[in-house]
Each structure stands twice: as structure tokens, then as C-alpha cells.
Amino acid sequence: MLCLPLLHSCKSKGVSAPAVDEVSAEDQAVEDPVLAAVDKYLVDEIGSRYSPGEVCIPCSVIMDVKDSDDGETLVSGSFWVFNYVRSGDTLKTVSGGHHPGIMHVRTDGDDFKVASFDAVGDGSDYLPSARRLFGDRFDAFQELVSDDLRREAVRSAAVTDYVRRNKLPVTMYQNFGWDPVRIGDPE
């Protein structure tokens, strides 16, 4: 997904989403297959565990992508998934959550798929598991997951891209109890 460092807050009424360059058909054809596999996993395996919506949109804030010695590609990051229902011109969040960790992506014939996911634990297991998974990169991981502005910029870009690719008549998205956030005009 796009990582656009932009200062904006979902709490502000009528906030505009970050400007996102239009994605051409050629750009979509050369989309990174590793990151596409991560998005597919987030939607199919994680998004499906939440209360369903009409639309499931992943939001990946990537820390790094590295090839391992055993042929896997390791994608470290702060992975989010959001399920929405459409209400008029607004996608309203009905469920979703945060799943930080490391995705192990392998080739599957001509395709890529997530073979396994080392997830950071919940509750009292959060810090010990994050330290174990990220080791000497723990401080960088903590900085990544605590950067709300970056996450919301990436989320806004992901929603905008989804709306444009699917030609939805949607101009905003909204979390329960928060003001709607304006996205780019759908094509």
C-alpha cells in the first residue's frame, strides 16, 4: 500500500484525504505481488474473522521487506484490516483491528501467498512477543505502530484506491463516533 507521510486527523470534520496519484491500469498490472499477497491474506484470513461488512479494506504500514535464506520474503509491519458498510456516500466502519508482526510470503506456482504469520501477541504478551519478533529493530517497530498520522494517511490512501478501482459512489469513510473523513473523488 502507499505510505504517504501526511499530517491529518480523522477527528477533524470534513478533513480531506491525502492527495493520491491516480493508479493507471498499467500501474495496477505491475503491483508488487508480495504486498498483494499480504493484502489478500489480511482480507481472507483476518478480515473474515470480524463482523462482516460489504467491503473489507486492508491497510499495511510496512516496516521492511526482506528476502530470507530459505526463499521466503519477510514483510514486517503494522497490519490493519477494516470492514465497512456503505451508507449513502460514506463507508462506515463496522469492524476491524490491528495485527502487527511479520508475514512470511512464498511463491505458489506463479502466484505469491502468505505461508505463515508471526503475529505480535495481545495483552500482556504484546511487549514480550514484539521484542522477540523484532529484536534489535524493536524501537523502530514501536515507532512505526505508534505513528497514528502515518497509519491514517496509509488508510486514507488504501480507501481512496479501493473506491477508485471499484468505481464506488463514495466520498468519505467514518469510524463510529468520529467525524467522516473525505477521500479523493471517485472516478
Side-chain angles (χ1 to χ4, degrees):
M1 300 309 296
L2 301 172
C3 293
L4 303 172
L6 178 73
L7 301 177
H8 101 338
S9 167
C10 288
K11 199 73 167 146
S12 302
K13 189 168 194 129
V15 169
S16 294
V20 178
D21 292 336
E22 291 183 25
V23 178
S24 70
E26 286 180 5
D27 291 339
Q28 288 178 12
V30 295
E31 178 181 288
D32 186 319
V34 170
L35 297 181
V38 168
D39 284 349
K40 181 173 177 24
Y41 180 85
L42 288 168
V43 170
D44 294 347
E45 301 298 324
I46 294 179
S48 63
R49 297 182 203 160
Y50 287 101
S51 295
E54 297 168 38
V55 172
C56 182
I57 302 175
C59 171
S60 299
V61 185
I62 304 299
M63 185 168 149
D64 57 41
V65 177
K66 295 181 180 178
D67 291 329
S68 70
D69 294 337
D70 63 358
E72 291 183 329
T73 300
L74 304 177
V75 182
S76 302
S78 178
F79 305 105
W80 289 82
V81 64
F82 298 96
N83 288 323
Y84 301 92
V85 293
R86 198 177 108 209
S87 177
D89 68 345
T90 304
L91 290 176
K92 296 194 177 225
T93 307
V94 293
S95 64
H98 185 215
H99 301 272
I102 302 171
M103 302 265 184
H104 296 252
V105 181
R106 291 184 179 253
T107 57
D108 182 25
D110 292 336
D111 296 322
F112 288 83
K113 72 182 254 182
V114 173
S116 63
F117 177 42
D118 297 329
V120 172
D122 291 332
S124 64
D125 192 37
Y126 181 85
L127 286 176
S129 63
R131 283 190 175 105
R132 180 178 40 77
L133 285 172
F134 291 98
D136 62 356
R137 301 178 309 146
F138 175 74
D139 289 341
F141 166 75
Q142 283 290 86
E143 186 176 316
L144 179 82
V145 297
S146 65
D147 190 343
D148 295 339
L149 295 174
R150 181 175 179 191
R151 180 194 68 240
E152 287 305 317
V154 171
R155 179 182 181 188
S156 184
V159 172
T160 298
D161 181 57
Y162 185 93
V163 166
R164 286 183 175 167
R165 280 186 291 112
N166 292 284
K167 298 179 177 24
L168 298 179
V170 173
T171 62
M172 295 178 280
Y173 65 94
Q174 181 178 24
N175 287 342
F176 180 79
W178 290 56
D179 291 327
V181 177
R182 185 163 299 285
I183 62 173
D185 295 328
E187 296 179 338

